[in-house]
Amino acid sequence: MTDKPVIVVLSPWYTVAMDELDQHFTVHRLWEVEDKAGLLASVRDTCVGIAGSKVCDAATMDALPNAKVIAHHGVGYDGVDVAAATARGIKVSNTPDVLSDEVADFAIALTLATCRRIPQADRYVREGRWEREGDMKFTDRMFGRKVGILGLGRIGIEIAHRFAAFKMDIAYHTRGRKDVPYRHYGSLLEMARDVEILVAIVPGGAATRHLVNREVLDALGPNGVFVNVARGSVADEDALIAALQDGRLGAAGLDVFADEPRVPQALKDLTENVVLQPHQASATHDTRLAMGRLVMDNLLAGIAGKPLVTPVN
């Protein structure tokens, strides 16, 4: 009986999927040990695969020179130095498609919760304010409003389909037009001026850093809503906080932040017009299991020298 291939998992994810990894591999869980350098050194010559959902940089690759594949757990792989992996002959994969519907559902839920102030209304009841103060102040509708989607990839198009069911006037901003029945804007700023709700669903990284800046937020205006289910880096967080505090932006629904899991206190203090979530758009049992299994399939393929199921490079 041959030994199972040795892999290093850099960061935790769904427990059931991790249990299935154990059936196929000798798994070393880097996040569980204090002496991370020591663990990497101990498997330097035997590790043939790397998995995780956070950062995998060139230094980690150099510490594991026999790794054949980096299987990233997530559709966005901006934490992986793909250029460094390619230069070292390491294949990189991600987990697209299996989470598209889940994230799209969540984007709609977060937009609705932000417009209708659902978390705030829940607190209003729990704190006894309904009894003491009477009916809560009116909120804002979602259906029929103008929504702009920043990014129209796999997830973006699913978000658009769902907004269509809410009778929304849908627009999108991408570098090129898509074959879709929605209005295309070549300028994000122009789209922000024309819509009432802006939803970000673009990859992270240098190319999209602070795309949603003060100018874009001001264009949305005091009645505008910004929803981010992309990456925290896509929005200038300081500018966003200032716009919300000053009333230059109406509301925000945020699932991602610049320095997770650390969320600025200023955002936490904005209890009336901001809905905060702990980066959980794809975090259901079914979807995380599907993502984990896709990671496993990519690991098995890459280690065997076969084409990856969902290759990045």
Side-chain angles (χ1 to χ4, degrees):
M1 181 176 178
T2 58
D3 292 334
K4 292 185 288 188
V6 175
I7 67 169
V8 170
V9 180
L10 304 178
S11 50
W13 22 285
Y14 188 55
T15 303
V16 175
M18 285 292 299
D19 290 344
E20 291 192 6
L21 275 185
D22 286 324
Q23 298 173 24
H24 296 272
F25 307 100
T26 298
V27 181
H28 294 273
R29 293 162 167 79
L30 188 65
W31 76 92
E32 291 183 346
V33 302
E34 186 173 345
D35 183 10
K36 292 178 172 52
L39 186 152
L40 294 177
S42 71
V43 296
R44 176 180 175 85
D45 297 328
T46 56
C47 177
V48 290
I50 304 170
S53 59
K54 302 293 183 182
V55 174
C56 186
D57 55 17
T60 303
M61 298 175 207
D62 289 340
L64 302 169
N66 293 317
K68 299 179 180 180
V69 58
I70 298 169
H72 180 71
H73 184 270
V75 64
Y77 50 86
D78 45 295
V80 179
D81 190 335
V82 177
T86 303
R88 289 160 175 76
I90 303 173
K91 296 178 180 179
V92 179
S93 66
N94 64 340
T95 59
D97 297 321
V98 293
L99 52 70
S100 297
D101 285 312
E102 200 74 80
V103 175
D105 282 356
F106 186 85
I108 301 303
L110 184 55
T111 305
L112 189 57
T114 304
C115 291
R116 293 301 307 271
R117 305 292 201 269
I118 292 174
Q120 293 88 338
D122 179 87
R123 292 196 299 270
Y124 197 82
V125 174
R126 293 178 187 276
E127 294 168 0
R129 295 178 62 192
W130 191 15
E131 299 171 62
R132 296 193 309 271
E133 303 174 29
D135 291 344
M136 181 176 156
K137 291 180 180 178
F138 292 166
T139 61
D140 298 309
R141 68 180 171 90
M142 188 178 91
F143 76 90
R145 297 177 75 184
K146 295 180 179 179
V147 60
I149 303 174
L150 171 54
L152 205 71
R154 294 180 178 92
I155 302 173
I157 193 66
E158 293 297 336
I159 292 173
H161 292 336
R162 285 157 174 77
F163 275 135
F166 283 84
K167 304 174 184 177
M168 308 285 277
D169 183 351
I170 302 166
Y172 69 100
H173 167 68
T174 57
R175 285 177 291 185
R177 291 180 180 272
K178 306 275 187 174
D179 185 18
V180 294
Y182 313 123
R183 181 175 178 181
H184 173 258
Y185 283 84
S187 163
L188 174 58
L189 183 60
E190 183 182 347
M191 184 173 77
R193 290 194 186 105
D194 287 351
V195 301
E196 300 164 275
I197 301 169
L198 175 64
V199 178
I201 184 62
V202 288
T208 60
R209 178 175 170 77
H210 290 184
L211 269 182
V212 180
N213 54 23
R214 174 170 180 149
E215 197 173 13
V216 169
L217 295 168
D218 284 348
L220 270 175
N223 296 316
V225 176
F226 173 59
V227 174
N228 194 357
V229 287
R231 285 289 186 266
S233 60
V234 170
D236 182 336
E237 199 163 75
D238 291 338
L240 175 60
I241 291 169
L244 289 162
Q245 289 174 332
D246 297 344
R248 289 181 285 107
L249 178 68
L254 308 172
D255 186 46
V256 290
F257 306 91
D259 186 25
E260 297 174 3
R262 289 162 288 277
V263 177
Q265 187 61 45
L267 279 175
K268 296 177 185 178
D269 291 341
L270 292 164
T271 58
E272 294 305 310
N273 62 339
V274 177
V275 177
L276 305 176
Q277 296 290 293
H279 199 155
Q280 62 157 351
S282 66
T284 66
H285 295 291
D286 292 337
T287 292
R288 286 297 171 89
L289 180 57
M291 291 168 66
R293 286 175 172 167
L294 185 51
V295 166
M296 183 172 63
D297 290 343
N298 278 302
L299 284 167
L300 290 168
I303 291 169
K306 298 177 182 178
L308 301 186
V309 182
T310 50
V312 168
N313 62 346

